[in-house]
Amino acid sequence: MEKLPGKDHYTFFENVFEVVKLIPYARATSYGAIANYLGSRGSARMVGWAMNASHHSTVSIPAHRVVNRNGLLTGKHHFGSPDLMQQLLESEGIVIENDQIKNFGEIFWDPAKEIGF
DNA sequence: GGTGTGACCAGCT
DNA sequence: AAGCTGGCCACAC
């Protein structure tokens, strides 16, 4: 995993990247699910903040597979183009309707449940 | 080095 | 039922 500049030890931040990279193809998860998996429910905001930093990272992070708990593409505006996130998801076979993932209940990938710890 | 803020979530009012 | 608030951790000014 990548070490962020100015940090000598791994943090909550890097754990987020690990989980995001583990998201399978054609699947999506929520910020809260990742935060919950890492042990801090209220840290969901940090997950989003980590995604913002993912752009700065040299490693490719599938941030488009991370949405809010409603399946809404809240962070689409932070991609290169507002529609880029939707296009990436659609290219994986995920159906998006009105900036929201359709059948999110089936596509939802809960790390705590799938990884199983 | 204190303060503000951020791609969120859940609980109150 | 819907709007507001607090909380969580890391980073920029």
Side-chain angles (χ1 to χ4, degrees):
Chain A
M1 120 156 50
E2 203 81 11
K3 184 162 67 76
L4 265 57
K7 305 295 283 187
D8 289 336
H9 64 283
Y10 298 124
T11 63
F12 190 96
F13 223 81
E14 280 98 61
N15 288 330
V16 174
F17 289 96
E18 281 298 306
V19 175
V20 174
K21 287 190 290 187
L22 289 174
I23 300 173
Y25 182 85
R27 288 294 181 117
T29 189
S30 68
Y31 304 97
I34 295 172
N36 187 22
Y37 170 69
L38 295 178
S40 299
R41 184 193 71 196
S43 302
R45 307 179 73 188
M46 281 299 78
V47 178
W49 195 253
M51 294 297 97
N52 193 8
S54 71
H55 193 298
H56 186 275
S57 177
T58 57
V59 184
S60 297
I61 307 295
H64 58 279
R65 295 182 187 152
V66 183
V67 295
N68 68 348
R69 85 156 226 77
N70 293 320
L72 193 67
L73 279 58
T74 55
K76 67 171 185 175
H77 203 283
H78 273 265
F79 284 75
S81 301
D83 294 332
L84 180 60
M85 185 176 185
Q86 178 174 344
Q87 291 177 6
L88 288 171
L89 289 170
E90 288 178 342
S91 67
E92 295 186 358
I94 297 175
V95 180
I96 310 294
E97 183 174 302
N98 194 17
D99 293 338
Q100 187 171 358
I101 296 178
K102 207 179 178 75
N103 300 329
F104 185 57
E106 298 178 359
I107 296 173
F108 180 72
W109 180 81
D110 188 354
K113 188 175 181 180
E114 300 294 338
I115 300 174
F117 292 97

